[in-house]
Amino acid sequence: MLRPDWHLLVKRLLENNIGVSMITNGYFIKENLEKLLPFKNYLAYMAVSVDGLRDTHDYIRQTDGAFDRAMDGLSLLREHGFSTGVITTVSRWNMHELEQLQLELMKRKVLHWQVQTVFLGGRMRENPTQLPMPEDLIPMAQFIIREKKKFKAKKIPINTFSADSLGYYSSICDNLMPGWNGCQAGLRCLGIESDGTIKGCLSLSPEIKSHKDPFAEASIREKRLKDIWENKKGFLYNRSFDKRKASGFCRHCKHLEKCRCGCSQSAYFATGNKYENPYCLYRLESLGYNINEPYDAEQLKIRFKDAIEEANSKKKAFKEKCSRKKGK
């Protein structure tokens, strides 16, 4: 919402029968409410990124008060009849906070909650101890499955679901992410970055700003979007997936042709290429892990004790820094 003309872009998309949802950090919802109101009946939903409870979210976002602004924004949207959603990116910083965070979201009458794994990019490179290991997907997946069942049974009002970074083809995936047919970047979707770069998905290498970016197709400043999309040599990593390039467990997986190594973003940040993805529940199940291990916040606090203590130390230092700024 930093762009002053964002509402004109939404209007143009809607005029061309393109479904629109919006994702925001929620910081400027109040200031943009008047611009949002005309689209209330046309937006599929308004999603706000919330990455943990107050101290965790504020630290991750490096913004004092970010959590409260996001929560206030969600409440304001619901008061005005918007369908709201939240996207939470899970790391060892916040995996044990999911149950408490869910309560906060339900207080604000949030309808949809997308839970996804963090990847080793951006500021996460500065905090590698907070990155979930592949086996950490198990309790996270079980949390989503448990809460999804509650929603279907009408025991809770919030629909919890996973993003593409969780799967694939394990015995629990029918309850987690049924019908996975591989990454759809460049097949059914694309993204336009702020500088005009076209990619199959905006999660693919967002921090690489050079000609070496393996997922950058072209710039909309130089070519028409139609021409970029219809380029027969474009988006080859998915449109012409070469199973001979697969490596590691993926190379001999019986689901390779359909799965195509899962989420391209997860694979790339984990291994440096699109053709091997250790963040896979089927792989874990095949290796003998108990993928029915339930989500237990108290057990996760013990399991991630060192990572949580490190995070708490950093959060404390951040709060003290914010207090000193306020005191000036």
Side-chain angles (χ1 to χ4, degrees):
M1 292 183 181
L2 291 175
R3 284 185 65 122
D5 62 345
W6 66 262
H7 59 297
L8 299 178
L9 300 177
V10 173
K11 185 173 183 290
R12 183 68 176 270
L13 290 169
L14 292 171
E15 287 172 350
N16 284 275
N17 297 315
I18 297 173
V20 178
S21 298
M22 291 185 67
I23 302 173
T24 170
N25 61 16
Y27 204 82
F28 292 113
I29 286 175
K30 182 178 180 181
E31 291 82 351
N32 284 271
L33 185 61
E34 292 304 315
K35 289 182 180 178
L36 280 167
L37 285 173
F39 302 118
K40 179 178 68 175
N41 297 324
Y42 304 100
L43 293 174
Y45 63 85
M46 284 285 299
V48 175
S49 297
V50 183
D51 295 325
L53 299 174
R54 180 176 285 102
D55 290 349
T56 301
H57 180 79
D58 285 4
Y59 173 72
I60 290 174
R61 297 285 163 166
Q62 290 290 286
T63 304
D64 186 33
F67 179 85
D68 290 333
R69 295 274 296 206
M71 293 294 108
D72 290 346
L74 284 165
S75 296
L76 193 61
L77 289 169
R78 289 299 289 141
E79 286 172 15
H80 286 83
F82 285 87
S83 178
T84 55
V86 162
I87 298 175
T88 298
T89 301
V90 178
S91 64
R92 291 185 170 186
W93 264 313
N94 60 10
M95 195 180 295
H96 62 288
E97 296 182 350
L98 291 178
E99 290 175 332
Q100 290 177 276
L101 179 58
Q102 185 188 56
L103 293 175
E104 295 294 330
L105 302 184
M106 288 194 290
K107 286 179 188 176
R108 277 79 180 183
K109 299 181 180 179
V110 172
L111 301 176
H112 312 282
W113 188 19
Q114 177 176 301
V115 181
Q116 60 193 33
T117 52
V118 72
F119 55 85
L120 192 60
R123 290 184 54 246
M124 186 52 64
R125 293 189 187 280
E126 303 166 15
N127 301 276
T129 57
Q130 302 298 335
L131 184 74
M133 293 295 101
E135 57 270 25
D136 296 338
L137 295 183
I138 297 171
M140 183 177 161
Q142 288 296 339
F143 173 82
I144 296 170
I145 291 170
R146 186 187 76 188
E147 299 310 310
K148 184 180 287 191
K149 287 180 179 178
K150 289 181 186 177
F151 174 75
K152 287 183 177 179
K154 298 183 179 180
K155 293 180 179 179
I156 56 173
I158 186 170
N159 179 24
T160 305
F161 56 95
S162 70
D164 291 354
S165 55
L166 272 172
Y168 314 87
Y169 294 103
S170 77
S171 60
I172 65 173
C173 282
D174 281 347
N175 295 317
L176 180 70
M177 180 181 280
W180 173 258
N181 283 305
C183 170
Q184 296 300 302
L187 297 176
R188 297 180 62 187
C189 62
L190 59 77
I192 306 173
E193 293 190 327
S194 58
D195 64 354
T197 299
I198 300 299
K199 291 183 176 180
C201 171
L202 290 179
S203 294
L204 295 171
S205 308
E207 62 202 60
I208 299 176
K209 297 297 179 185
S210 74
H211 66 282
K212 295 181 181 179
D213 186 339
F215 299 107
E217 300 298 328
S219 173
I220 202 169
R221 298 178 186 274
E222 300 169 359
K223 296 182 180 180
R224 294 193 310 160
L225 184 59
K226 182 177 185 292
D227 294 335
I228 297 171
W229 181 254
E230 294 179 353
N231 178 16
K232 293 182 180 179
K233 295 182 179 180
F235 310 96
L236 292 178
Y237 56 90
N238 270 340
R239 292 182 180 179
S240 297
F241 180 81
D242 187 350
K243 66 180 183 180
R244 295 171 299 180
K245 294 181 180 179
S247 58
F249 181 88
C250 292
R251 182 174 182 83
H252 303 290
C253 178
K254 65 181 181 180
H255 300 295
L256 175 60
E257 289 194 36
K258 284 187 70 177
C259 181
R260 299 199 307 277
C261 304
C263 171
S264 297
Q265 165 209 284
S266 297
Y268 184 78
F269 279 100
T271 64
N273 70 78
K274 152 75 179 124
Y275 299 96
E276 181 182 357
N277 188 355
Y279 286 85
C280 169
L281 290 166
Y282 178 74
R283 170 182 172 273
L284 292 170
E285 189 172 26
S286 299
L287 293 175
Y289 284 85
N290 175 19
I291 62 166
N292 291 303
E293 173 194 352
Y295 176 90
D296 186 324
E298 295 306 314
Q299 286 298 316
L300 289 175
K301 289 177 185 178
I302 297 171
R303 179 168 165 179
F304 301 149
K305 180 176 180 290
D306 292 342
I308 291 172
E309 286 180 354
E310 178 191 6
N312 287 339
S313 176
K314 290 184 176 182
K315 286 188 280 188
K316 181 181 178 182
F318 175 70
K319 287 182 71 175
E320 290 172 350
K321 177 183 174 183
C322 293
S323 296
R324 288 196 297 272
K325 281 185 177 181
K326 288 179 180 177
K328 287 183 179 179

